[in-house]
Amino acid sequence: MYDDVVMAPTGEPLCVRPNTRRRRKASRRFFLLGVWCAALSHSLGAKPARADVPLRITGSVTLDASASLHDGSSEVEARLLDDAGHPVPGAEVEIKPSTASSQAWTARECHTHTPPVSPNADGAYTAHSDGSGALCAHFDGVGEHAEFELSFSDPNGLYASATRHVIADSATRSVEMAFAPAPTVLALERDEQIFSLVTRAEPALAPGDALERLPVTLRAKTEAGTSRELARANVELGGGSEFRVPSRALGAPGPLELRADFSGSASTREAHAIAHVTCTALARLSLAEPLTHRSDASVHLRVRVDSVAGRVPSGSIEAESGGVSLGSARVSAGNAELDLQLDEAATRARAFELRYVADSPWWLPGEPLEVRVPIVPPSPWHRIAWLLAAMALCGWLFVNWQRPRRIERSLPNAARPALRAPVDVIEVGDAARGWHGRVLDAHDGSPIAGAAISVRLPAFDGQGVLRSAQSGADGSFAIEGAVGPGAALEVRAPWHVALAAPMPPPGQIVLSLVSRRRSLLARFATWTRGDAEWGQQREPTPGEVARKAARSEVAAWAGAVNEAAFGPDPLSEAKEQAVVGREPAHGSKP
């Protein structure tokens, strides 16, 4: 006889009672079930739940450095700036002489009387940046024309690593350069852009010192890494100069890095100035073909979307009439096609407006396009039977049905607002009264409370706050008093993208901020259009990309975008930058 569970001979005689066999089988089953549960509990306990890995913001760092000779010794100066041009204080930079020397060398901080410090195990000296991101190290015993390797590595992982190789020269002076004011938003509708550059000598020029003219080159670099030269000028050391650049030389709308470079001379070390700007363009609407009379209520529109930089590649067109949306369509390669269904009972021309809705902060909506479509109502004679039946029904209702008097109530029709300009001057006023107005959401026009408004002047330490204010519950603010030339306006709010723009004329102004959620979704849409896997498909959502992406890093990033843009928690600046830092590279196109 065989047991039903283990399928092996039991050794029991055939005369064993059936109840006894069933009890033994049940005992074996309970025993096996207990062993299986114990093994499962052990396997689950041996693998503790993995803690959530915190997201980190990864930024880039610019490491500018130079080395000089001083009476048989060398001094290495460096400065660290992040990708927004702000100093990185308290950072550790390793400096290592790369030229062989017959004698041991020592190092110490410049301008201090601290004892020399010996190199570490790797033969490098560790220096720390101050509040302005600058550092200086003095080396003895390295010989003439010494070469130095500088390396920066953030132990917290917030910044990418950076290295720099410098050679000690006989230059006796350093120079600092900065844009004044720092450009932030460039409207391509202007014929040309003016960039002001100021310089400062270190140490300062003494009376009677010869004034050196520095050849400076202005370049522009796109997000794709393409760099091009814009202009050149000879700037007097300790003075300033202007670069006049045609707007067409800046290229297409979008983020841009402006960089002014001085390659150095026999007496003055090299210097750089960097500014991150956004080039904007207005979208202009026009009909691609004329409209004709229609006998039905349907209308097909072909709309052309142009700008000063050429055809607009993305966004959408929305048709509105009386505050009611009639339909919308996506913009592709400067064109959009709309199919609208109007009221069949219209007996005269119906006017409506076409508006451009941007999906990127550098495309701005222009004036709406008003369109009139003549509609010819159909002949009523073929519906005479229906008209007679309707008249009879109305008569019966009038005679036999008593209804209470109807109370008409008017319902407000809230028009869907278009994307507002970042800075809108409502009324120019007296300079002595300053600026007053409101801070609003760029899409729905709702007031933004608690926004910090600052007026800044150019300063080498990155501060230069001249005046500041904070918006109230209704978004209103006031900044009194006049400011000097070169001032810039900066607006920050907890859940919106920061706004930086040149100071508008005094008076009543409206400042419009784009929410971080919309900005993140616009960045996601731009990424999918340029990717080989998703570029040929219809516009996907972050959730769809997270579910169907072939690459794991793309799926994880799309899931983070979906949670940040549609999750219950507000989207802070740190969380937004953390998601942007996870953006993967594009897949190779076939």
Side-chain angles (χ1 to χ4, degrees):
M1 178 172 73
Y2 284 81
D3 186 85
D4 293 337
V5 178
V6 298
M7 297 298 292
T10 62
E12 297 289 343
L14 295 177
C15 62
V16 177
R17 299 175 62 182
N19 290 338
T20 304
R21 288 199 300 269
R22 283 196 295 269
R23 285 196 296 270
R24 291 180 178 178
K25 290 179 182 178
S27 300
R28 290 191 184 97
R29 291 191 182 98
F30 283 121
F31 175 75
L32 293 175
L33 180 61
V35 172
W36 182 82
C37 291
L40 180 62
S41 300
H42 176 73
S43 62
L44 293 177
K47 297 180 180 179
R50 186 183 65 181
D52 292 337
V53 178
L55 298 178
R56 292 183 179 274
I57 306 171
T58 303
S60 60
V61 169
T62 301
L63 179 59
D64 288 331
S66 62
S68 59
L69 297 175
H70 295 280
D71 299 330
S73 61
S74 298
E75 285 191 357
V76 179
E77 296 180 334
R79 191 178 187 189
L80 289 91
L81 301 175
D82 61 15
D83 47 13
H86 299 151
V88 181
E92 291 186 356
V93 177
E94 289 193 350
I95 308 174
K96 179 180 179 181
S98 57
T99 303
S101 178
S102 59
Q103 56 182 348
W105 55 269
T106 58
R108 59 178 175 80
E109 295 283 345
C110 299
H111 314 300
T112 63
H113 300 287
T114 57
V117 178
S118 301
N120 57 21
D122 297 331
Y125 169 74
T126 302
H128 299 80
S129 61
D130 58 15
S132 63
L135 58 91
C136 179
H138 181 91
F139 291 86
D140 292 316
V142 293
E144 297 183 358
H145 305 290
E147 300 183 12
F148 298 88
E149 292 287 343
L150 289 83
S151 61
F152 164 76
S153 179
D154 186 8
N156 299 320
L158 301 181
Y159 297 102
S161 301
T163 59
R164 187 70 185 272
H165 179 83
V166 295
I167 301 175
D169 53 30
S170 58
T172 59
R173 179 176 287 113
S174 300
V175 59
E176 295 185 13
M177 298 193 306
F179 291 99
T184 54
V185 179
L186 305 178
L188 296 182
E189 284 73 25
R190 300 173 183 168
D191 293 335
E192 66 177 7
Q193 308 290 337
I194 301 177
F195 306 105
S196 298
L197 187 73
V198 295
T199 63
R200 182 174 68 182
E202 179 64 32
L205 295 173
D209 287 350
L211 296 179
E212 181 181 0
R213 302 191 69 84
L214 312 178
V216 179
T217 303
L218 182 65
R219 293 183 174 87
K221 182 179 179 181
T222 64
E223 277 192 326
T226 305
S227 179
R228 58 183 176 273
E229 181 178 320
L230 299 179
R232 293 188 179 186
N234 290 324
V235 183
E236 189 177 88
L237 180 60
S241 180
E242 286 187 349
F243 293 89
R244 294 182 176 268
V245 178
S247 295
R248 62 178 180 274
L250 299 177
L256 202 66
E257 179 186 276
L258 291 178
R259 183 184 179 97
D261 294 313
F262 166 61
S263 58
S265 64
S267 59
T268 306
R269 300 182 187 91
E270 64 178 16
H272 313 279
I274 299 176
H276 295 271
V277 301
T278 300
C279 299
T280 64
L282 292 174
R284 301 189 296 262
L285 306 182
S286 61
L287 295 179
E289 58 186 19
L291 298 178
T292 58
H293 290 272
R294 301 291 299 269
S295 59
D296 57 1
S298 64
V299 176
H300 180 76
L301 295 176
R302 292 187 61 200
V303 184
R304 182 183 293 112
V305 189
D306 295 311
S307 71
V308 69
R311 295 199 170 188
V312 179
S314 61
S316 60
I317 302 297
E318 185 178 40
E320 294 182 354
S321 177
V324 178
S325 177
L326 304 178
S328 63
R330 296 290 302 174
V331 177
S332 177
N335 293 289
E337 297 190 9
L338 292 87
D339 290 302
L340 307 179
Q341 194 73 22
L342 303 182
D343 187 4
E344 288 190 27
T347 56
R348 57 186 178 85
R350 177 71 174 268
F352 57 91
E353 287 186 339
L354 299 178
R355 298 177 180 272
Y356 174 76
V357 180
D359 59 356
S360 300
W362 41 85
W363 291 111
L364 304 179
E367 292 294 328
L369 176 64
E370 184 178 277
V371 180
R372 289 184 175 271
V373 181
I375 300 177
V376 179
S379 175
W381 295 108
H382 70 284
R383 300 182 180 179
I384 188 66
W386 293 103
L387 293 177
L388 293 176
M391 293 174 62
L393 178 61
C394 291
W396 180 85
L397 292 175
F398 180 77
V399 174
N400 298 284
W401 191 11
Q402 297 295 328
R403 297 181 60 189
R405 184 178 180 182
R406 184 178 179 181
I407 301 176
E408 297 289 344
R409 292 181 295 179
S410 61
L411 299 177
N413 294 325
R416 182 178 178 181
L419 187 66
R420 293 169 169 77
V423 179
D424 190 4
V425 179
I426 305 301
E427 181 181 357
V428 178
D430 187 5
R433 296 186 58 188
W435 295 261
H436 61 279
R438 303 180 70 193
V439 183
L440 306 177
D441 186 279
H443 291 82
D444 57 22
S446 60
I448 300 176
I453 304 99
S454 304
V455 179
R456 296 179 178 272
L457 287 176
F460 288 99
D461 59 359
Q463 302 298 320
V465 177
L466 182 61
R467 288 182 176 84
S468 61
Q470 189 172 16
S471 61
D474 59 348
S476 62
F477 70 93
I479 300 176
E480 298 181 353
V483 299
L489 184 67
E490 182 178 290
V491 185
R492 291 183 174 273
W495 317 125
H496 290 73
V497 179
L499 168 64
M503 203 66 190
Q508 183 180 0
I509 61 176
V510 174
L511 306 176
S512 301
L513 304 183
V514 179
S515 67
R516 300 188 191 279
R517 294 180 186 266
R518 292 182 182 270
S519 177
L520 186 61
L521 288 175
R523 187 183 184 100
F524 173 83
T526 302
W527 185 93
T528 55
R529 286 194 296 271
D531 188 69
E533 181 181 358
W534 300 95
Q536 303 300 324
Q537 303 183 22
R538 62 174 180 79
E539 183 172 352
T541 64
E544 182 179 0
V545 175
R547 293 190 303 271
K548 300 181 180 179
R551 293 184 291 159
S552 59
E553 65 272 17
V554 174
W557 167 68
V561 173
N562 188 67
E563 191 278 332
F566 302 108
D569 298 330
L571 183 56
S572 63
E573 182 178 4
K575 186 174 182 180
E576 177 195 19
Q577 293 302 320
V579 176
V580 171
R582 297 181 63 181
E583 181 177 311
H586 287 301
S588 58
K589 294 188 177 181

